Amino acid sequence: MAHYVEHLAWLNAVGAKQRSADRHSNAWTNAYAVGYWLSGKPDELDDILQTLSGLFDPLEVSLEFANEERDIISREYESRMVDRPDAQATESMNAFLYAENAIASSVLGTPDDISGFTYDNARALHAVTHRPENATLVVTGDITEREVSRALKEANWPEGQNVNADIESPTFELAAPAETLLRYPEKDASARVIFRRVVALPEAVPFDLLEAHTTLLGNILNTNLVGGLAGPLRFDAAIARRFDVQIWPVDERHIELSFTARPDRDVSLTAMRTVFEETLAEISGTGIPDQTYQRVLSRFEHFWPDWDDGDETARWMADYTLERVSTLRKPLPLHDVKRLEQTLAHQTINTLLNEIAGEGRTAVAFIGPKERFE
């Protein structure tokens, strides 16, 4: 329903205005929030803000238009989900891994959900969610804070914004350790396995620092260095033709591992999954060697911008801020972000490795010809 409201609210705000043809705009809904953006020249900021303020106005689109938009979302579902086993697997895995949490729910919903959308329900949800006190305004570009403050007054921006208000981070509680195996027989598809696991950490780690550590650990595991997976899975033994490992924080106390891979010739998905888990356990048992850690760390400087380049830093901070706000997290100020690199630690990498190789909530999906499953 939030996705449906996003469509209606954006068109309600922007559609009523005669925008220039080259205006860039968009709207989105994710598992945490809805977002709307407009871009233009600095001297157009008043107009941009005035248009955005229309998001707080009651929905006044026609019923016919609202029904047409519902049909568009139905077609969006078909485009993204029908005959797309990877997308279907992602939805099912999310529901299992994040069980009992809000983010377990699909943003798109099901065809039955979509067909049940009503304009009255959309207006009711919009009225309680699209309020200035619930919103975070982010302005990026070649413009000063004073110019933004003036533009807000000129646009009669609704009261309710508090620049000092804390963004309430989402809560997450990991359900009991469990495992599920999903099968998607696709006769003509290339065989592949998706392995995901969410684990709880022994103690909380600041989110930004945890993200840097998990990204660094993922980079290590993707290498052919000692402690990486490329040697055991691709070069020492022909297990996987290609694979990708990603690790990221769900919140300060939980991290998720994702391993996607295509098997080599005559290797079943079951065998590849088994070898991956056994290899991960072996690497965890010995730990990441210091030589490997230092070598990958030396390349990790690209995770952050060149702090001596003001333009590059500004662009990076703009993207970083938008990413944090879109997941209901408060971004760190520039000086704190700069300090993160100095707080990376080899010991933390091995601690995280031990956790993801251990007990957690695990979902595995097999996709491809059925005969490749076993």
Side-chain angles (χ1 to χ4, degrees):
M1 180 61 77
H3 181 213
Y4 182 44
V5 168
E6 169 240 299
H7 277 235
L8 298 182
W10 192 224
L11 294 166
N12 188 62
V14 177
K17 311 280 186 182
Q18 291 298 320
R19 310 297 301 171
S20 59
D22 62 349
R23 175 75 64 186
H24 297 285
S25 67
N26 207 346
W28 48 261
T29 304
N30 65 21
Y32 301 93
V34 294
Y36 309 88
W37 64 267
L38 280 168
S39 64
K41 298 176 181 178
D43 60 6
E44 297 176 310
L45 183 59
D46 296 5
D47 186 37
I48 290 173
L49 291 174
Q50 188 171 14
T51 300
L52 284 175
S53 70
L55 293 166
F56 306 121
D57 296 337
L59 293 184
E60 294 180 350
V61 301
S62 69
L63 178 59
E64 180 183 7
F65 183 87
N67 290 339
E68 288 177 356
E69 205 62 30
R70 182 182 59 198
D71 292 339
I72 288 174
I73 291 178
S74 179
R75 291 197 296 274
E76 185 177 344
Y77 174 89
E78 293 172 358
S79 173
R80 294 188 182 186
M81 301 299 295
V82 175
D83 296 327
R84 291 180 177 269
D86 292 82
Q88 296 168 20
T90 296
E91 296 279 66
S92 296
M93 296 172 97
N94 286 348
F96 178 81
L97 292 169
Y98 308 146
E100 302 175 17
N101 292 274
I103 60 173
S105 300
S106 166
V107 171
L108 275 176
T110 65
D112 286 343
D113 293 331
I114 297 168
S115 65
F117 292 165
T118 68
Y119 187 27
D120 286 343
N121 286 342
R123 294 186 69 180
L125 182 59
H126 176 272
V128 297
T129 57
H130 285 59
R131 303 174 62 87
E133 59 269 24
N134 293 339
T136 299
L137 175 67
V138 180
V139 181
T140 66
D142 186 16
I143 197 163
T144 66
E145 289 184 41
R146 177 174 293 184
E147 289 171 324
V148 173
S149 297
R150 181 199 57 76
L152 286 169
K153 293 178 181 178
E154 290 292 328
N156 293 317
W157 188 261
E159 294 184 3
Q161 293 284 356
N162 183 351
V163 294
N164 296 316
D166 288 332
I167 297 176
E168 185 176 348
S169 298
T171 59
F172 181 83
E173 294 293 335
L174 184 63
E179 181 179 307
T180 186
L181 175 61
L182 308 170
R183 297 167 179 263
Y184 297 87
E186 296 285 337
K187 181 179 179 180
D188 298 323
S190 59
R192 53 199 183 272
V193 62
I194 304 172
F195 179 103
R196 292 171 59 188
R197 174 178 289 158
V198 179
V199 299
L201 302 179
E203 58 184 36
V205 179
F207 188 86
D208 290 85
L209 181 59
L210 184 56
E211 181 185 59
H213 275 107
T214 53
T215 303
L216 179 57
L217 176 56
N219 289 355
I220 292 171
L221 292 176
N222 275 300
T223 69
N224 188 34
L225 301 172
V226 179
L229 290 166
L233 297 186
R234 289 186 58 202
F235 300 107
D236 299 341
I239 303 298
R241 290 187 184 276
R242 58 178 179 269
F243 70 87
D244 179 63
V245 177
Q246 295 186 36
I247 309 170
W248 64 90
V250 179
D251 65 1
E252 289 79 1
R253 296 194 64 100
H254 302 88
I255 62 174
E256 179 169 343
L257 161 73
S258 171
F259 170 79
T260 59
R262 298 182 186 273
D264 210 316
R265 183 175 50 193
D266 300 328
V267 177
S268 71
L269 297 184
T270 297
M272 187 170 65
R273 180 257 177 106
T274 299
V275 173
F276 162 69
E277 288 194 85
E278 290 175 348
T279 304
L280 186 66
E282 290 175 7
I283 294 173
S284 172
T286 58
I288 301 298
D290 184 66
Q291 184 176 4
T292 295
Y293 172 77
Q294 295 297 337
R295 186 169 175 181
V296 178
L297 180 63
S298 68
R299 310 169 185 162
F300 197 63
E301 60 184 15
H302 300 297
F303 182 75
W304 291 286
D306 178 358
W307 299 118
D308 295 327
D309 186 327
D311 289 340
E312 183 181 338
T313 297
R315 288 191 297 270
W316 190 94
M317 285 297 294
D319 291 340
Y320 160 77
T321 299
L322 288 169
E323 181 181 346
R324 288 293 179 266
V325 169
S326 69
T327 54
L328 303 183
R329 293 195 170 276
K330 188 173 183 178
L332 295 178
L334 176 60
H335 57 82
D336 286 340
V337 175
K338 286 184 175 181
R339 294 194 187 107
L340 290 174
E341 190 170 4
Q342 281 67 52
T343 54
L344 293 172
H346 189 181
Q347 181 179 353
T348 301
I349 291 294
N350 281 324
T351 297
L352 296 178
L353 176 59
N354 289 336
E355 296 303 325
I356 63 170
E359 190 176 55
R361 199 160 176 86
T362 304
V364 183
F366 289 170
I367 302 172
K370 189 175 181 178
E371 58 269 21
R372 296 297 303 276
F373 287 3
E374 304 295 340

